[in-house]
Amino acid sequence: MRNQLTLVFLVAGALLTMGAKLPEVPIEDFTSVAGTWKGMVSWKGYTSWTSPITITLRQDGSYDEDNGWLPGQGKMRIVEGKLQYESADGQIVTITLHEGSGKRLLKAKVEDGSSWKARPAKKERNKKKKKKKKKNQTSEKKEY
């Protein structure tokens, strides 16, 4: 009976933590979030829409943003453990970092009600195939 109760609590705990949100972590410097992040922008109002976003953050605080309709670039600042910047259309964007269990997530809220979430972009692998040399092929011509 005791083992069954322990098992029930372990399973219940695992199920509860599976859907757990990643905790917010303060951003102390730009190097901790530098890199390329990819995700989705969403806006819900009288119309709703979503669009992919790619944002590249550099160690000096500069960034490039491609959100599919209004690309932008500029400089971010750190305010109370969060990133802030002014988007290409003049909106203030506030970004929080969430980490846990080896996962990282940036969540952004924009003044106009839109938001985006992004994860670190996976590194693209070199897709070039190495040319295999034929075993009997040589660079010298043989004369017979």
Side-chain angles (χ1 to χ4, degrees):
M1 182 72 169
R2 186 180 209 176
N3 288 341
Q4 290 174 337
L5 282 175
T6 303
L7 182 60
V8 167
F9 283 114
L10 287 174
V11 170
L15 290 173
L16 289 173
T17 58
M18 282 175 52
K21 295 180 180 180
L22 296 175
E24 185 177 325
V25 177
I27 300 169
E28 296 178 11
D29 57 36
F30 294 112
T31 57
S32 65
V33 291
T36 300
W37 299 74
K38 291 188 176 194
M40 294 297 285
V41 178
S42 62
W43 190 78
K44 294 177 182 167
Y46 59 92
T47 60
S48 297
W49 52 262
T50 60
S51 177
I53 185 170
T54 300
I55 188 160
T56 302
L57 306 174
R58 291 182 200 78
Q59 293 180 359
D60 66 355
S62 62
Y63 74 92
D64 292 317
E65 176 184 25
D66 182 5
N67 54 23
W69 73 93
L70 193 58
Q73 56 187 174
K75 190 94 168 172
M76 294 190 180
R77 60 190 175 274
I78 299 174
V79 178
E80 297 177 3
K82 300 174 184 180
L83 296 178
Q84 279 191 347
Y85 70 97
E86 188 174 325
S87 66
D89 61 352
Q91 301 287 320
I92 299 296
V93 181
T94 302
I95 303 171
T96 54
L97 173 64
H98 300 261
E99 286 184 313
S101 303
K103 297 180 181 181
R104 304 180 84 206
L105 178 69
L106 290 180
K107 290 184 180 181
K109 292 187 179 186
V110 187
E111 284 180 322
D112 66 2
S114 62
S115 62
W116 56 260
K117 294 179 183 178
R119 297 191 182 280
K122 294 181 180 179
K123 294 181 180 179
E124 294 182 21
R125 296 182 181 188
N126 188 354
K127 295 183 180 180
K128 293 180 183 178
K129 293 182 180 179
K130 294 181 180 178
K131 294 180 182 179
K132 293 182 180 179
K133 291 184 179 180
K134 293 182 182 177
K135 290 181 182 178
N136 296 332
Q137 186 179 11
T138 62
S139 58
E140 297 176 18
K141 291 184 180 179
K142 292 185 180 180
E143 293 184 28
Y144 295 98

